[in-house]
Amino acid sequence: MLTIESLTHLGMGRASDGRSLLPRVLPGEEVDVAQDGTLRIVTPSVDRVAAPCRHFKSCGGCAMQHANDAFVAAWKQDIVAKAVHARGLDTDFRDIATSPPTSRRRAKLSGRRTKKGAMVGFHTRASDTLVAVPDCQLLTPALIASFPALEALTVLACSRKGEIDLTVTEANTGPDVLVATDKELTPQLRVELAALANQFGLSRLVWNDEPVVMINPPAQDFGGTGVVPPPGAFLQATKHGEATLLSAVQEITVKAACVVDLFAGCGTFTLPLAKYAEVHAVEGEAAMLNALDRGWREGHQLRRVTTETRDLFRRPLEADELRHFDAAVIDPPRAGAEAQIATLAASEINTIAMVSCNPVTFARDAQTLVDAGFAMPWVQVVDQFRWSPHVEIVAAFTRK
Ligand SMILES: C[S@@+](CC[C@H](N)C(=O)[O-])C[C@H]1O[C@@H](n2cnc3c(N)ncnc32)[C@H](O)[C@@H]1O
């Protein structure tokens, strides 16, 4: 018998033998591991619940449905708190904001052919077996409703033995679908794909890098401005998560007349902020900025927005370039923004809203700012990756 002593940041249970890392267990639980690896919970934790989704046992899409919401919230907050405290930083943690079930508006699914037609779903944990998830509790109803279209697409796009990736994003005009396949796109196939997109009401269908059908532009709404992102472009995982991050970013930058939005993507923050401030959006992907710029030009009553394609790892905005701005928003990828944070620290900017999906790089970058004289009055954890080990963070940095 083993006792679970704690959870790793990926949600694996550290067992009392000092070596075993066990999935889907909780601290304090006593478990038996049979010779064949089967896990039996002997003494369950008070935080253990029946998984809300009937697919949880077989599907590898979620990791934490065996724990109640309060446990998951405290565990995620603690991951961020530990990373911050490990850097010797102190701050107030606002209440965590957790996105509701069935709110994930974008998913990467897999598809393969079956005897009867096709199957679309997620892989089981650490294996290549595919599970169909028609009652998934994570995805929005619109994404679930797109499964028949994705299955029909798999029949056309997948070879008999292979597997394809299907990235589907909810849009008001219908599912926006990107398929990654090694099957060749023939003229005949194009005709069939166009018919399929029409039949199932897809807004756009992209084959590897090639747009095949665009029936209605799949616009996303950023604070009332429509933007048609490039296929597969980054989008905050849930509308709730996006709104929570945006409201924090707006609160932090409220007094700024001129804002620089670093790692701006397609304008999730830029365009809503442009209702009150001039914004300079900087981002590495030109296609995302083109989409942002088009949205701004077609938007109503927005202040001036300028865009700049720039690799912010190699060529961060320097302190003298940052002089024009009253506040910065920074939302880097998992690697964080070491170089850009260093120049922000050395600049005259006094207000920074930092958004991050990685507690470790967040804490590193936060420390650089604090060492340069910034205070970090509060941090908020946003759980838009419900039932997974991922976290999102937004924090305020100010200096007098
Ligand atoms: C976490 S996303 C945030 C996007 C946007 N703020 C949003 O909320 O939708 C990070 C963004 O950083 C961009 N990016 C990644 N590496 C970059 C780099 N080296 N230089 C500039 N932008 C980069 C990505 O293309 C992506 O749009």
Side-chain angles (χ1 to χ4, degrees), residues 234 236 263-265 268-269 283-285 288 310-313 331-333:
F234 177 89
Q236 299 292 347
F263 304 91
T268 305
F269 303 128
E283 154 67 44
E285 296 282 335
M288 294 177 96
R310 184 154 164 170
D311 182 336
L312 293 172
F313 290 170
D331 180 13

Side-chain angles (χ1 to χ4, degrees), residues 217-234:
Q220 298 295 334
D221 178 345
F222 295 145
T225 302
V227 172
V228 181
F234 177 89

